[in-house]
Amino acid sequence: AALERKRRVQLPKDYRAFLLQVGNGGAGPGYGLAPLAVLLGGRRPPLHKSFPYSTELAVELMRARAATDKDDRFLPEAAYQGMVELCDLGCSTSACLVLTGEQAGTIWFTGEFGWYPEFEIVAGEARQHSFVSWYEAWLADALAVFASSCSGPR
């Protein structure tokens, strides 16, 4: 709460609950989740300014990616306002949590190939990930890999 007041942002409820009940950084996609102090410390552009991309744009990008599995559009640097990089996924790609604006609470990926919302296809529709749905999807995949590596002869 003190960091939120100092940085003039409010963390999404599911992420705040994760920090309080599960942990502050550690196991996660890519090279793991960064601790909160790293996420909120000394960042520019400002965290309290509104994330500039709309839900309408997110839907458009999800449809484009679902149809072609790529989107060649690059969205401008201004997008770095109002969000934090949760983790480095490698190959110049990061998973980011939006803190402000219409997209607050959603996960976006950024990297050399541009910006796009993280989503899954459910019943033929693209659904954006919140922090918890994104983390749970990663955890399910990680556990499946672990289980398959443990099922061989001992």
Side-chain angles (χ1 to χ4, degrees), residues 94-105:
S94 297
C96 305
L97 177 63
V98 178
L99 302 178
T100 60
E102 256 183 65
Q103 286 286 293

Side-chain angles (χ1 to χ4, degrees), residues 34-96:
L36 182 63
V38 171
L39 297 178
L40 296 183
R43 285 257 341 211
R44 290 178 318 145
L47 295 174
H48 67 279
K49 291 201 173 186
S50 188
F51 184 74
Y53 302 134
S54 67
T55 300
E56 183 179 340
L57 177 61
V59 169
E60 181 184 324
L61 291 171
M62 288 187 294
R63 284 185 181 141
R65 287 191 64 81
T68 66
D69 197 33
K70 69 176 187 160
D71 185 1
D72 295 330
R73 289 186 296 175
F74 288 81
L75 300 178
E77 178 83 13
Y80 281 95
Q81 69 189 36
M83 51 67 65
V84 293
E85 291 180 49
L86 290 172
C87 60
D88 180 343
L89 299 171
C91 298
S92 301
T93 303
S94 297
C96 305

